[in-house]
Amino acid sequence: MKVKTRDRILETSLALFNTVGEPNVTTLLISDELNISPGNLYYHFKSKGDIVCELFDRFEEELSDLITVPEDVDISLDQQGIFLHLLFEAVTRYRFLYQDLVNVLSRYDNLQVRFRRLLRKKETAFRTICTSLERQGMMNISQQELDALCEQLTLTICYWVSYDSLSHLDDRESVDPGRGVFQMMHLLAPYLGEDERLQAQAMSLDYF
């Protein structure tokens, strides 16, 4: 099936934003990469900002579905591991948003409120998962520790891409989301019961 020009523009823009950085990409570069005229691109998107906003729409929809965790469900460690895996995959797909987060949001202030809303949803998802593990007797954690842990998990998912990129600034395509999952599992491990901690540590080795 033939891919629509609009979708090709979005896919190519996302790839360019991720690999060379969103500030370094122009609509002319995007049209050159696609081998279409600037006028053709302008027919679909009036500006680079419109492209960024539509990509954010897609990211927001994908992430919102993922981080909507039911509060009344018993969540296993395996499910928690899958959740972290999918979460880091989604962030990696749209990593241009996170590589220079503050500057991106300062240029597109209409995204700031929406991104903060996603931050709160991420923290709520982590809290729901931890509360489920505690309810099942797999985690022992005080309220103060839970607050700090959920904030640390949210911080890690937001800034892992930037941190990971520091080790290969000359190659923006070399991103290892698995290392992020590994770190998250070890942030959780100290609060788990002995058996669960050993299981979490064993699971984390798959991402080392």
Side-chain angles (χ1 to χ4, degrees):
M1 184 175 65
K2 187 175 180 180
V3 179
K4 294 180 180 178
T5 300
R6 185 182 184 86
D7 291 329
R8 289 177 59 223
I9 292 171
L10 289 170
E11 291 166 7
T12 299
S13 298
L14 179 59
L16 287 171
F17 291 162
N18 284 340
T19 54
V20 303
E22 179 269 335
N24 301 315
V25 177
T26 63
T27 52
L28 183 59
L29 177 60
I30 296 168
S31 59
D32 284 347
E33 188 74 13
L34 285 164
N35 196 27
I36 62 175
S37 69
N40 194 351
L41 188 147
Y42 184 77
Y43 173 79
H44 296 281
F45 297 98
K46 303 303 182 188
S47 68
K48 186 177 76 168
D50 289 343
I51 297 174
V52 171
C53 288
E54 183 146 342
L55 287 173
F56 189 90
D57 289 344
R58 293 186 173 195
F59 169 69
E60 185 178 41
E61 181 178 3
E62 181 176 341
L63 206 65
S64 294
D65 287 343
L66 176 60
I67 60 181
T68 303
V69 182
E71 294 184 2
D72 57 347
V73 174
D74 288 341
I75 299 168
S76 68
L77 278 181
D78 284 336
Q79 289 171 323
Q80 176 257 338
I82 292 170
F83 170 79
L84 292 178
H85 178 93
L86 294 175
L87 185 56
F88 270 96
E89 279 194 342
V91 168
T92 300
R93 274 194 295 276
Y94 294 89
R95 60 187 177 274
F96 80 93
L97 292 168
Y98 291 86
Q99 285 170 334
D100 195 9
L101 181 57
V102 174
N103 285 333
V104 169
L105 293 181
S106 68
R107 286 194 300 277
Y108 304 102
D109 55 3
N110 59 317
L111 302 181
Q112 292 178 20
V113 172
R114 294 167 64 186
F115 196 90
R116 284 197 295 268
R117 188 184 305 128
L118 283 178
L119 276 183
R120 291 193 296 270
K121 286 184 177 180
K122 290 174 191 174
E123 189 166 350
T124 298
F126 290 132
R127 188 177 299 275
T128 300
I129 290 171
C130 290
T131 300
S132 175
L133 294 175
E134 185 182 25
R135 185 175 63 244
Q136 297 173 76
M138 294 190 286
M139 174 178 274
N140 183 18
I141 190 168
S142 70
Q143 185 61 52
Q144 185 178 24
E145 290 170 331
L146 178 62
D147 293 341
L149 175 61
C150 291
E151 186 173 9
Q152 182 62 50
L153 292 169
T154 305
L155 186 154
T156 301
I157 191 66
C158 284
Y159 289 100
W160 176 258
V161 168
S162 294
Y163 174 80
D164 188 53
S165 297
L166 287 174
S167 62
H168 40 75
L169 290 173
D170 58 337
D171 184 8
R172 284 177 175 260
E173 292 192 56
S174 180
V175 179
D176 185 4
R179 289 288 297 170
V181 178
F182 176 87
Q183 293 298 328
M184 298 279 261
M185 296 292 283
H186 281 269
L187 286 172
L188 289 160
Y191 303 101
L192 298 173
E194 184 177 356
D195 291 343
E196 289 78 20
R197 183 167 60 254
L198 292 174
Q199 182 184 348
Q201 289 171 345
M203 289 168 58
S204 72
L205 293 179
D206 292 335
Y207 298 96
F208 186 73

